[in-house]
Amino acid sequence: MKKILLLTLAALPALSFAQDAKYTIQGKIGEVNAPAKVYLEYRIAKGKSQIDSTVVTNGKFQFTGKAGAAPLSAYLLFNPKGTGTASAEDYRSIYLEPGVINITTADLLANAKVDGPKTNQDNEAYQIAQKPVNDAYKAIDDKQKAATDEQKASPEFKKQAKADEKAAEALSASIDKKFITEHPDSYISLNAIESFAYSADYVDIKPLFDALTPAIKSTEDGKKFADRMPKIKAVALGATAPEFAEADTSGKEISLSSFRGKYVLIDFWASWCGPCRRENPNVVKAYNHYKDQKFTILGVSLDKPTAKDKWLAAIHKDGLTWNHVSDLKFWDSKAADMYAVRGIPQNFLLDPNGKIIAKNLRGDDLEDKLAEIFGKI
C-alpha cells in the first residue's frame, strides 16, 4: 500500500553556495504553445509554498531565480490549458541549485530527461531506479480499474492485490537501500533513507546512515536525521515502547501503560489519510476476531487542530470501536514524533509487557500475526 510520507518539498541543505548563485531551468516540451503553462512550485517556509509560472512557446519554457544557500526540492507542473496547478496532473520533481537545469521531453514532464548539477543528476538516477516500483503500482491500479465489482469482492482477488502491494513495497525498499549504498555522497540519499526507514528497523537503517559521507551527515537534514536516530532506536523490534498519554475523544487522558497485560496495536492514522482509511477494514476485521482475547488497539490520530469533528466522524464511519487519542497537532503530533513516525498508516504491536514485537502489519499480516499468538479464530 502506498503510504503518506512527510517528504514533499523538503529542503536539502548544501555545504555552501555563493550568496549570489542562481539557477536557470531550461525546458522543452514537444512543440506546445500557449495557453499551455509550466508551473514551478517550491517550499519557502513551513506549510507555505511559492508557485511561479511561465507560458510555453514552441515547446520552450524557462525559469531563473536565486538558488539560495541549499538545493531545494521543487516540482515542475504542466497544464496544457494554463489554468493553474490544481488541474495539472503532469509533473516532475527537480532540485533548485546553482547552474543550468535542462528539462527535455517529447510529451509529458513525467517522462522528461533531466540534466544539470549533481543533485539533479542524482535525482534523475533515483527516479530511473524507482521506475519499476512506479510501474508496479500502476499495474496494481490498472488491475483494480479493470476488475468488476464481483472480481474485487472475491478472496482470491483481494489476496493477490495484497501480495502485489507487498511485492511493490519490498521492491521499493530494496531499490532505496541499493541507491543509498551506491550514493553515500548524495543529498538524494537522505530522502531515500526517509523512504527506507518507513518499513525498515533500526538495525537496517543505522549502517546505511553511518555510511553516508561526513559532508552529507553534516548538512542540516543530515543532522536532523541523526537527531532522530535515538527515537528510531527506541522503537526498534525488541525495545520497550515509549510511554505517552493523550486525550481521547471525550477529552479524558489515556496512557499507553494502562493497557499493560494485553497485546496492544498502536495504530497511527488520520481521517484525511486515504491509505489509512482503505486499511481500516482490515484492522476492524482483525480487532473483531481477537478483541475477546488479550488484544486491543490504541488509535493515534494525526488530525489537524481544527478537524476534531472529521476525526470523530471517521471513527464512526469506519467502525473503529477501540480507544482513540490525539493531540490534534497534525504532523507535529507528540506521540508520532516520539515513535519517529514520518509516514502513515503505521503501527506497532506490543506484547503484554510493552515490548515491540512487530511493525507495519497491514492487510492479512495483522490477522496472521494475531493467529500466531492466539491461534486461528
Side-chain angles (χ1 to χ4, degrees):
M1 174 182 292
K2 291 183 180 179
K3 66 272 187 184
I4 294 181
L5 289 176
L6 183 60
L7 296 176
T8 56
L9 298 177
L12 288 180
L15 293 178
S16 63
F17 292 150
Q19 290 186 356
D20 59 350
K22 295 183 180 296
Y23 67 82
T24 298
I25 302 170
Q26 295 182 165
K28 183 76 165 66
I29 306 179
E31 300 299 327
V32 176
N33 280 288
K37 287 184 179 180
V38 172
Y39 301 84
L40 173 64
E41 182 174 2
Y42 52 95
R43 185 175 175 177
I44 56 175
K46 185 176 181 180
K48 295 183 179 181
S49 296
Q50 173 73 33
I51 299 177
D52 302 328
S53 66
T54 186
V55 175
V56 182
T57 304
N58 295 325
K60 296 180 179 179
F61 66 91
Q62 180 172 303
F63 293 96
T64 301
K66 186 176 179 181
L72 184 67
S73 177
Y75 287 98
L76 289 170
L77 302 97
F78 174 64
N79 187 330
K81 296 181 180 179
T83 53
T85 61
S87 55
E89 297 182 355
D90 181 26
Y91 64 92
R92 185 68 161 81
S93 66
I94 61 169
Y95 283 81
L96 305 181
E97 58 181 339
V100 178
I101 306 162
N102 292 300
I103 315 290
T104 309
T105 180
D107 43 40
L108 300 173
L109 279 177
N111 299 331
K113 174 178 172 51
V114 179
D115 188 24
K118 178 175 171 52
T119 306
N120 280 283
Q121 291 178 11
D122 290 347
N123 188 45
E124 177 77 350
Y126 182 71
Q127 296 300 327
I128 292 172
Q130 283 286 337
K131 187 177 184 303
V133 179
N134 296 330
D135 291 344
Y137 277 119
K138 184 178 184 304
I140 293 170
D141 291 340
D142 290 345
K143 191 181 295 185
Q144 285 283 340
K145 292 175 182 176
T148 64
D149 290 341
E150 184 178 358
Q151 288 174 324
K152 292 178 184 178
S154 73
E156 295 78 11
F157 186 91
K158 291 180 179 179
K159 184 176 181 179
Q160 186 59 52
K162 292 298 179 184
D164 291 343
E165 287 181 356
K166 288 181 69 174
E169 290 176 354
L171 178 61
S172 180
S174 67
I175 290 173
D176 281 335
K177 184 175 182 179
K178 185 173 186 292
F179 184 91
I180 297 162
T181 302
E182 294 178 351
H183 299 79
D185 62 341
S186 175
Y187 297 108
I188 305 303
S189 290
L190 287 174
N191 267 359
I193 280 185
E194 286 283 7
S195 178
F196 180 77
Y198 172 80
S199 56
D201 197 44
Y202 176 79
V203 294
D204 300 309
I205 300 167
K206 186 178 187 300
L208 290 178
F209 182 72
D210 288 347
L212 295 178
T213 62
I216 297 300
K217 286 191 284 190
S218 66
T219 63
E220 182 181 342
D221 268 31
K223 291 176 180 177
K224 286 181 179 178
F225 197 90
D227 289 342
R228 285 180 54 219
M229 286 298 287
K231 296 176 183 177
I232 295 173
K233 183 178 182 180
V235 292
L237 290 173
T240 298
E243 167 72 342
F244 66 90
E246 288 188 358
D248 66 8
T249 56
S250 65
K252 178 184 176 182
E253 189 169 275
I254 295 180
S255 65
L256 176 62
S257 58
S258 65
F259 298 98
R260 284 290 174 89
K262 292 185 176 182
Y263 287 87
V264 182
L265 184 77
I266 306 175
D267 185 31
F268 289 92
W269 73 295
S271 68
W272 50 261
C273 168
C276 304
R277 303 294 295 275
R278 290 191 292 273
E279 180 62 23
N280 277 343
N282 297 316
V283 184
V284 170
K285 180 183 174 186
Y287 177 72
N288 287 337
H289 278 180
Y290 291 96
K291 65 182 179 181
D292 294 330
Q293 308 298 315
K294 290 185 177 181
F295 171 69
T296 191
I297 300 174
L298 178 61
V300 182
S301 169
L302 274 65
D303 271 283
K304 300 178 181 180
T306 58
K308 184 175 181 179
D309 56 337
K310 294 181 180 178
W311 173 41
L312 299 179
I315 292 171
H316 177 73
K317 183 176 182 179
D318 293 1
L320 314 182
T321 57
W322 47 82
N323 288 285
H324 293 271
V325 297
S326 180
D327 57 12
L328 297 173
K329 291 185 177 180
F330 196 35
W331 284 111
D332 291 326
S333 160
K334 291 182 179 179
D337 178 65
M338 184 182 296
Y339 278 69
V341 170
R342 300 277 289 182
I344 53 177
Q346 192 164 358
N347 60 47
F348 300 81
L349 181 64
L350 318 185
D351 72 7
N353 295 315
K355 183 180 294 185
I356 299 171
I357 58 174
K359 299 180 183 180
N360 291 318
L361 297 169
R362 298 188 301 279
D364 294 334
D365 291 345
L366 175 57
E367 194 156 1
D368 289 346
K369 183 64 178 179
L370 294 175
E372 178 187 313
I373 295 169
F374 298 111
K376 195 166 183 64
I377 295 177

